[in-house]
Amino acid sequence: MKLDKTLTDKDLGQIIAQMTLEDKAKFVSGKDVWSTQAFEKYNIPAMYVADGPHGLRKVRKTTSNQLGNTIPATCFPTASALGSTWNVELIEEISAAIGKECQANNIQILLGPGLNIKRTPLNGRNFEYYSEDPYLSGKIAAAFVRGVQSQGVAACIKHFTANNQEHERMMNSSNVDERTLREIYMRGFEIAIEEADPWTMMCAYNKVNGIWANEHEWLLTKVLRDEWGYEGIVISDWAAVNKADRAVHAGLNLEMPANKFSSDKIVQAVKNGTLDEQRLDTVVKPLLRIALKTNNLKQVNTELDLNIHHTLAIRAAEESIVLLKNENDILPLDLGKLKSVAVLGRFAETPRYQGSGSSNVNAYKEENALAQIRNILGNHIEINYLPFYESRGDKYAEADLPKAIDIAKKSDVALVFIGLPDDFEAEGLDRLHADLPESHKALIREVATVQPNTIAVLSNGAAVEVEEWERDVPAILESWLSGQGSGAAVANILFGKTNPSGKISESFPLRLQHNPSHLYFPGSNRNVDYREGIFVGYRYYDTKSMEVMFPFGHGLSYTDFEYSDLVVSSKEFSDTDTLKVSCTIKNIGKRAGAEVVQLYVHDKVSELPRPIKELQAFTKIHLESGASAHVQLELNRRSFTYFDTALGEWFAESGDFDILVGSSSRDIRLRETVTLHSKQKRVRIFDKFSPLRDLQDHPIGRPFVEKMLQNFGTSLDADKPEDYEAKAIFLSLPLIKSVNFSQGTFSEDMLEDFIRKINA
Ligand code: BGC
């Protein structure tokens, strides 16, 4: 549902004109923790807000901020898990269900989705974010927004921007160069806004390059409104605002929760002339529009069937889970060959299926893997279960180790549930390392030495190190924190009721130290410098040609897919064309399954450094055994551009690009080279320090360069080996050196004249 234009700017302007300064100042500061101000005299209704993003988290009393005491709701998979589905239709279905739960509970704004980039596996809140890739994050966030808003409820993309760690999130400045901001940390937001028009968004707690995100005029007005044409509202993260008048000046529409001192500050600032009242009117207008719009879209008597949502939660979990390793097709387990199964690790019975903090949902129902395994195995197959470790922390009883070994030894197969407990990754708490707790590692290590059929089932919100024990187990299933249905989904996949189809949306490095941000995280003295720049995740590992444990986009299936017949609509194209890329995918295995077809673009030569490949399109298709489908993906100008800060815009550089189609970032099955003839030309401005090399193709510059070279005893066309070196030296001279070498015949004034001429 797009922002409707039925309320014209004129209508809104008329209401604002009636409002007193005090009321406008009150309006932009919220009413309490979870609702906004209502004004009967102007017919302005309140809006009720609640956290998401993976389920409705409505606190029972709007005035309280407690993390517990929320109403029961459906807990869908967390963002890491949803990011691994690569299924935008499914995401839309899930978020529509969440939107419906909002309608049924009188919530007008759902605080999600979160789409910050996973810069490091250590961010304690990574489970709330989709990916290390901005394109995938943006596409999934857009789908999420569409789903929520299809129910007449506002979604809220958050946290804008460069909010990539929990350590000192309210104190730190994230220092990021503009190209990296545009290409990595803002791109997902830009895509979501362009494709789905979120009615609200949330700014980050942190500073961006020294300015609080909530006071950042460049972010909130120049880019967001003037460049991207955003028409919704920007809400502060909870208590992010330090100076309400400055936030209004920058373009923040709503401070949450209410800060009873803020309206006075705003009124004073207007009265003493440090805040223009027009700026206040500018932020009030979209806020008013959203308040009236969401009020108009309220539905009474929304009928909810939470059982339908539960079934959807199981399906969503099934699509989220990623089969990372499956040697000799040990999975799915063959019931006919089993007499006894060891189920080890507490997560089998008490699954960790979501994270703690503001996104924690009071799940109305939950599935655990142990119960579902019992259902599937019935009475004929023996199950031996040992919880082994505690739910929280890193403890186990020494006496349990021999018990676990014994159970594993006497069983046909050991299913070992391990991962990260709540206190290892959480909102407000970054991880100290990327390893599993020692108690979980001890279990998998010891069991794997006695039982060759050991299957590891992981529950964690972000990449973990597995190198220490990975070689000892034939199969690893990454179940993420995949919501209230996760237990059933895991069991269904282990025993082949469901064919896994998830693909990891973040790289699993061999070791944490390999992560590109490692030396700069978490920063010091309230500053974190993003020195790795645009080389985040696979953009770094692949460009550096580094070995990783599991590459971005990787995920196995119980069937195989064959890729063939790559066709591009045109091998030569311009930046105003849409390039269509198609291929055929065939399911050549014995089971039905789904494949995520990924398209990466590689710029073969570019003026600025670029990653060796970047994801620019994808789709997920379901195929019966033996069936094939024709898949078509589209690339546009943006798929080939980079952000050039010298030009201040996205630049499409002419040249050759490889189109890479594959099953993961490191499993490229088809490739083709295309040539872009860009209509966008880089206007080169010469100065005293431009190298002579750059003048070679210039009509006035070339004779000048030729003359210089002749003075040095060579020429542009000379091709003897010694000329090659001489040219290398002389062509790299900056223009100003023509004065030094001129023996007094060419002055600096003459040079300036010459530069004026060539620039004209
Ligand atoms: C979080 C937000 C959340 C808000 C309200 C903040 O601490 O960063 O994501 O929506 O609290 O609970």
Side-chain angles (χ1 to χ4, degrees), residues 388-410:
F388 192 72
Y389 52 78
E390 301 294 325
S391 271
R392 296 176 67 83
D394 191 5
K395 274 197 250 128
Y396 68 97
E398 288 287 333
D400 275 351
L401 203 50
K403 274 192 216 158
I405 293 172
D406 191 47
I407 292 175
K409 244 195 224 164
K410 68 177 193 208

PDB file of all heavy atoms in Angstrom, residues 388-410:
ATOM      1  N   PHE A 388      22.849 -32.142  28.782  1.00  0.00           N
ATOM      2  CA  PHE A 388      24.278 -31.891  28.916  1.00  0.00           C
ATOM      3  C   PHE A 388      24.633 -30.494  29.449  1.00  0.00           C
ATOM      4  O   PHE A 388      25.177 -30.369  30.521  1.00  0.00           O
ATOM      5  CB  PHE A 388      25.020 -32.179  27.599  1.00  0.00           C
ATOM      6  CG  PHE A 388      26.501 -32.213  27.785  1.00  0.00           C
ATOM      7  CD1 PHE A 388      27.124 -33.256  28.437  1.00  0.00           C
ATOM      8  CD2 PHE A 388      27.300 -31.169  27.337  1.00  0.00           C
ATOM      9  CE1 PHE A 388      28.502 -33.267  28.643  1.00  0.00           C
ATOM     10  CE2 PHE A 388      28.681 -31.174  27.523  1.00  0.00           C
ATOM     11  CZ  PHE A 388      29.281 -32.231  28.177  1.00  0.00           C
ATOM     12  N   TYR A 389      24.363 -29.434  28.680  1.00  0.00           N
ATOM     13  CA  TYR A 389      24.778 -28.101  29.155  1.00  0.00           C
ATOM     14  C   TYR A 389      23.566 -27.320  29.658  1.00  0.00           C
ATOM     15  O   TYR A 389      22.417 -27.705  29.416  1.00  0.00           O
ATOM     16  CB  TYR A 389      25.495 -27.314  28.045  1.00  0.00           C
ATOM     17  CG  TYR A 389      24.702 -27.258  26.748  1.00  0.00           C
ATOM     18  CD1 TYR A 389      23.625 -26.394  26.583  1.00  0.00           C
ATOM     19  CD2 TYR A 389      25.029 -28.119  25.687  1.00  0.00           C
ATOM     20  CE1 TYR A 389      22.888 -26.368  25.409  1.00  0.00           C
ATOM     21  CE2 TYR A 389      24.288 -28.097  24.505  1.00  0.00           C
ATOM     22  CZ  TYR A 389      23.223 -27.210  24.374  1.00  0.00           C
ATOM     23  OH  TYR A 389      22.492 -27.197  23.227  1.00  0.00           O
ATOM     24  N   GLU A 390      23.868 -26.212  30.362  1.00  0.00           N
ATOM     25  CA  GLU A 390      22.792 -25.349  30.869  1.00  0.00           C
ATOM     26  C   GLU A 390      22.286 -24.457  29.733  1.00  0.00           C
ATOM     27  O   GLU A 390      23.017 -24.183  28.778  1.00  0.00           O
ATOM     28  CB  GLU A 390      23.327 -24.441  31.989  1.00  0.00           C
ATOM     29  CG  GLU A 390      23.906 -25.173  33.183  1.00  0.00           C
ATOM     30  CD  GLU A 390      22.837 -25.950  33.931  1.00  0.00           C
ATOM     31  OE1 GLU A 390      21.700 -25.479  34.009  1.00  0.00           O
ATOM     32  OE2 GLU A 390      23.149 -27.054  34.426  1.00  0.00           O
ATOM     33  N   SER A 391      21.062 -23.942  29.880  1.00  0.00           N
ATOM     34  CA  SER A 391      20.495 -23.064  28.852  1.00  0.00           C
ATOM     35  C   SER A 391      21.320 -21.800  28.677  1.00  0.00           C
ATOM     36  O   SER A 391      21.506 -21.283  27.592  1.00  0.00           O
ATOM     37  CB  SER A 391      19.092 -22.623  29.253  1.00  0.00           C
ATOM     38  OG  SER A 391      18.173 -23.520  28.801  1.00  0.00           O
ATOM     39  N   ARG A 392      21.753 -21.263  29.797  1.00  0.00           N
ATOM     40  CA  ARG A 392      22.530 -20.028  29.756  1.00  0.00           C
ATOM     41  C   ARG A 392      23.946 -20.345  30.223  1.00  0.00           C
ATOM     42  O   ARG A 392      24.182 -21.333  30.895  1.00  0.00           O
ATOM     43  CB  ARG A 392      21.919 -18.980  30.684  1.00  0.00           C
ATOM     44  CG  ARG A 392      20.528 -18.545  30.263  1.00  0.00           C
ATOM     45  CD  ARG A 392      19.955 -17.591  31.280  1.00  0.00           C
ATOM     46  NE  ARG A 392      20.689 -16.331  31.315  1.00  0.00           N
ATOM     47  CZ  ARG A 392      20.482 -15.323  30.467  1.00  0.00           C
ATOM     48  NH1 ARG A 392      19.552 -15.422  29.546  1.00  0.00           N
ATOM     49  NH2 ARG A 392      21.178 -14.214  30.560  1.00  0.00           N
ATOM     50  N   GLY A 393      24.853 -19.457  29.883  1.00  0.00           N
ATOM     51  CA  GLY A 393      26.212 -19.598  30.371  1.00  0.00           C
ATOM     52  C   GLY A 393      26.946 -20.745  29.708  1.00  0.00           C
ATOM     53  O   GLY A 393      26.564 -21.222  28.640  1.00  0.00           O
ATOM     54  N   ASP A 394      27.985 -21.234  30.378  1.00  0.00           N
ATOM     55  CA  ASP A 394      28.882 -22.210  29.772  1.00  0.00           C
ATOM     56  C   ASP A 394      29.230 -23.295  30.789  1.00  0.00           C
ATOM     57  O   ASP A 394      30.384 -23.438  31.162  1.00  0.00           O
ATOM     58  CB  ASP A 394      30.142 -21.447  29.286  1.00  0.00           C
ATOM     59  CG  ASP A 394      31.011 -22.324  28.409  1.00  0.00           C
ATOM     60  OD1 ASP A 394      30.596 -23.454  28.121  1.00  0.00           O
ATOM     61  OD2 ASP A 394      32.099 -21.871  28.006  1.00  0.00           O
ATOM     62  N   LYS A 395      28.197 -24.012  31.256  1.00  0.00           N
ATOM     63  CA  LYS A 395      28.460 -25.010  32.308  1.00  0.00           C
ATOM     64  C   LYS A 395      27.952 -26.389  31.918  1.00  0.00           C
ATOM     65  O   LYS A 395      26.913 -26.510  31.263  1.00  0.00           O
ATOM     66  CB  LYS A 395      27.732 -24.587  33.598  1.00  0.00           C
ATOM     67  CG  LYS A 395      28.564 -23.634  34.442  1.00  0.00           C
ATOM     68  CD  LYS A 395      28.004 -23.604  35.845  1.00  0.00           C
ATOM     69  CE  LYS A 395      27.373 -22.306  36.126  1.00  0.00           C
ATOM     70  NZ  LYS A 395      26.238 -21.914  36.572  1.00  0.00           N
ATOM     71  N   TYR A 396      28.682 -27.423  32.342  1.00  0.00           N
ATOM     72  CA  TYR A 396      28.162 -28.781  32.255  1.00  0.00           C
ATOM     73  C   TYR A 396      28.739 -29.586  33.408  1.00  0.00           C
ATOM     74  O   TYR A 396      29.782 -29.236  33.963  1.00  0.00           O
ATOM     75  CB  TYR A 396      28.486 -29.430  30.899  1.00  0.00           C
ATOM     76  CG  TYR A 396      29.943 -29.721  30.658  1.00  0.00           C
ATOM     77  CD1 TYR A 396      30.470 -30.987  30.889  1.00  0.00           C
ATOM     78  CD2 TYR A 396      30.788 -28.733  30.162  1.00  0.00           C
ATOM     79  CE1 TYR A 396      31.815 -31.260  30.641  1.00  0.00           C
ATOM     80  CE2 TYR A 396      32.141 -28.998  29.926  1.00  0.00           C
ATOM     81  CZ  TYR A 396      32.642 -30.266  30.163  1.00  0.00           C
ATOM     82  OH  TYR A 396      33.963 -30.528  29.919  1.00  0.00           O
ATOM     83  N   ALA A 397      28.053 -30.654  33.756  1.00  0.00           N
ATOM     84  CA  ALA A 397      28.548 -31.496  34.852  1.00  0.00           C
ATOM     85  C   ALA A 397      29.560 -32.489  34.285  1.00  0.00           C
ATOM     86  O   ALA A 397      29.258 -33.183  33.307  1.00  0.00           O
ATOM     87  CB  ALA A 397      27.373 -32.233  35.494  1.00  0.00           C
ATOM     88  N   GLU A 398      30.749 -32.539  34.869  1.00  0.00           N
ATOM     89  CA  GLU A 398      31.817 -33.456  34.409  1.00  0.00           C
ATOM     90  C   GLU A 398      31.289 -34.873  34.207  1.00  0.00           C
ATOM     91  O   GLU A 398      31.629 -35.546  33.242  1.00  0.00           O
ATOM     92  CB  GLU A 398      32.951 -33.498  35.446  1.00  0.00           C
ATOM     93  CG  GLU A 398      33.803 -32.234  35.511  1.00  0.00           C
ATOM     94  CD  GLU A 398      34.732 -32.090  34.316  1.00  0.00           C
ATOM     95  OE1 GLU A 398      35.104 -33.125  33.729  1.00  0.00           O
ATOM     96  OE2 GLU A 398      35.065 -30.938  33.951  1.00  0.00           O
ATOM     97  N   ALA A 399      30.422 -35.288  35.138  1.00  0.00           N
ATOM     98  CA  ALA A 399      29.929 -36.666  35.098  1.00  0.00           C
ATOM     99  C   ALA A 399      29.086 -36.937  33.856  1.00  0.00           C
ATOM    100  O   ALA A 399      28.870 -38.098  33.481  1.00  0.00           O
ATOM    101  CB  ALA A 399      29.110 -36.930  36.357  1.00  0.00           C
ATOM    102  N   ASP A 400      28.594 -35.877  33.228  1.00  0.00           N
ATOM    103  CA  ASP A 400      27.735 -36.068  32.049  1.00  0.00           C
ATOM    104  C   ASP A 400      28.521 -36.388  30.780  1.00  0.00           C
ATOM    105  O   ASP A 400      27.952 -36.894  29.808  1.00  0.00           O
ATOM    106  CB  ASP A 400      26.873 -34.821  31.820  1.00  0.00           C
ATOM    107  CG  ASP A 400      25.604 -34.873  32.652  1.00  0.00           C
ATOM    108  OD1 ASP A 400      25.334 -35.941  33.250  1.00  0.00           O
ATOM    109  OD2 ASP A 400      24.891 -33.854  32.704  1.00  0.00           O
ATOM    110  N   LEU A 401      29.806 -36.061  30.787  1.00  0.00           N
ATOM    111  CA  LEU A 401      30.584 -36.302  29.571  1.00  0.00           C
ATOM    112  C   LEU A 401      30.667 -37.800  29.238  1.00  0.00           C
ATOM    113  O   LEU A 401      30.327 -38.191  28.108  1.00  0.00           O
ATOM    114  CB  LEU A 401      31.968 -35.654  29.690  1.00  0.00           C
ATOM    115  CG  LEU A 401      32.664 -35.336  28.365  1.00  0.00           C
ATOM    116  CD1 LEU A 401      31.766 -34.568  27.410  1.00  0.00           C
ATOM    117  CD2 LEU A 401      33.940 -34.553  28.616  1.00  0.00           C
ATOM    118  N   PRO A 402      31.073 -38.639  30.191  1.00  0.00           N
ATOM    119  CA  PRO A 402      31.065 -40.079  29.863  1.00  0.00           C
ATOM    120  C   PRO A 402      29.674 -40.589  29.507  1.00  0.00           C
ATOM    121  O   PRO A 402      29.532 -41.471  28.640  1.00  0.00           O
ATOM    122  CB  PRO A 402      31.573 -40.750  31.154  1.00  0.00           C
ATOM    123  CG  PRO A 402      31.709 -39.690  32.187  1.00  0.00           C
ATOM    124  CD  PRO A 402      31.648 -38.361  31.522  1.00  0.00           C
ATOM    125  N   LYS A 403      28.640 -39.984  30.132  1.00  0.00           N
ATOM    126  CA  LYS A 403      27.264 -40.429  29.810  1.00  0.00           C
ATOM    127  C   LYS A 403      26.950 -40.120  28.334  1.00  0.00           C
ATOM    128  O   LYS A 403      26.402 -40.952  27.612  1.00  0.00           O
ATOM    129  CB  LYS A 403      26.256 -39.677  30.695  1.00  0.00           C
ATOM    130  CG  LYS A 403      26.029 -40.314  32.036  1.00  0.00           C
ATOM    131  CD  LYS A 403      24.803 -39.666  32.682  1.00  0.00           C
ATOM    132  CE  LYS A 403      25.014 -39.566  34.177  1.00  0.00           C
ATOM    133  NZ  LYS A 403      24.200 -38.567  34.823  1.00  0.00           N
ATOM    134  N   ALA A 404      27.320 -38.895  27.922  1.00  0.00           N
ATOM    135  CA  ALA A 404      27.046 -38.486  26.535  1.00  0.00           C
ATOM    136  C   ALA A 404      27.793 -39.401  25.572  1.00  0.00           C
ATOM    137  O   ALA A 404      27.234 -39.862  24.557  1.00  0.00           O
ATOM    138  CB  ALA A 404      27.476 -37.034  26.333  1.00  0.00           C
ATOM    139  N   ILE A 405      29.038 -39.710  25.906  1.00  0.00           N
ATOM    140  CA  ILE A 405      29.858 -40.568  25.044  1.00  0.00           C
ATOM    141  C   ILE A 405      29.237 -41.961  24.943  1.00  0.00           C
ATOM    142  O   ILE A 405      29.116 -42.545  23.860  1.00  0.00           O
ATOM    143  CB  ILE A 405      31.311 -40.643  25.597  1.00  0.00           C
ATOM    144  CG1 ILE A 405      31.968 -39.259  25.469  1.00  0.00           C
ATOM    145  CG2 ILE A 405      32.119 -41.723  24.891  1.00  0.00           C
ATOM    146  CD1 ILE A 405      33.314 -39.135  26.147  1.00  0.00           C
ATOM    147  N   ASP A 406      28.781 -42.430  26.060  1.00  0.00           N
ATOM    148  CA  ASP A 406      28.176 -43.756  26.106  1.00  0.00           C
ATOM    149  C   ASP A 406      26.906 -43.812  25.244  1.00  0.00           C
ATOM    150  O   ASP A 406      26.715 -44.732  24.437  1.00  0.00           O
ATOM    151  CB  ASP A 406      27.868 -44.050  27.587  1.00  0.00           C
ATOM    152  CG  ASP A 406      27.481 -45.490  27.762  1.00  0.00           C
ATOM    153  OD1 ASP A 406      28.221 -46.328  27.207  1.00  0.00           O
ATOM    154  OD2 ASP A 406      26.441 -45.757  28.407  1.00  0.00           O
ATOM    155  N   ILE A 407      26.058 -42.807  25.431  1.00  0.00           N
ATOM    156  CA  ILE A 407      24.809 -42.761  24.641  1.00  0.00           C
ATOM    157  C   ILE A 407      25.145 -42.706  23.149  1.00  0.00           C
ATOM    158  O   ILE A 407      24.553 -43.415  22.322  1.00  0.00           O
ATOM    159  CB  ILE A 407      23.968 -41.518  25.038  1.00  0.00           C
ATOM    160  CG1 ILE A 407      23.446 -41.660  26.461  1.00  0.00           C
ATOM    161  CG2 ILE A 407      22.822 -41.303  24.055  1.00  0.00           C
ATOM    162  CD1 ILE A 407      22.714 -40.422  26.972  1.00  0.00           C
ATOM    163  N   ALA A 408      26.116 -41.854  22.802  1.00  0.00           N
ATOM    164  CA  ALA A 408      26.468 -41.698  21.381  1.00  0.00           C
ATOM    165  C   ALA A 408      26.997 -43.016  20.812  1.00  0.00           C
ATOM    166  O   ALA A 408      26.643 -43.419  19.700  1.00  0.00           O
ATOM    167  CB  ALA A 408      27.502 -40.593  21.230  1.00  0.00           C
ATOM    168  N   LYS A 409      27.837 -43.677  21.583  1.00  0.00           N
ATOM    169  CA  LYS A 409      28.458 -44.926  21.134  1.00  0.00           C
ATOM    170  C   LYS A 409      27.432 -46.000  20.824  1.00  0.00           C
ATOM    171  O   LYS A 409      27.510 -46.708  19.827  1.00  0.00           O
ATOM    172  CB  LYS A 409      29.376 -45.439  22.257  1.00  0.00           C
ATOM    173  CG  LYS A 409      30.833 -45.478  21.891  1.00  0.00           C
ATOM    174  CD  LYS A 409      31.543 -46.336  22.937  1.00  0.00           C
ATOM    175  CE  LYS A 409      32.821 -45.676  23.373  1.00  0.00           C
ATOM    176  NZ  LYS A 409      33.369 -46.212  24.607  1.00  0.00           N
ATOM    177  N   LYS A 410      26.459 -46.121  21.707  1.00  0.00           N
ATOM    178  CA  LYS A 410      25.510 -47.231  21.528  1.00  0.00           C
ATOM    179  C   LYS A 410      24.368 -46.900  20.554  1.00  0.00           C
ATOM    180  O   LYS A 410      23.505 -47.732  20.304  1.00  0.00           O
ATOM    181  CB  LYS A 410      24.975 -47.688  22.893  1.00  0.00           C
ATOM    182  CG  LYS A 410      24.099 -46.690  23.592  1.00  0.00           C
ATOM    183  CD  LYS A 410      23.590 -47.293  24.894  1.00  0.00           C
ATOM    184  CE  LYS A 410      22.477 -46.435  25.440  1.00  0.00           C
ATOM    185  NZ  LYS A 410      22.307 -46.464  26.840  1.00  0.00           N
TER     186      LYS A 410
END
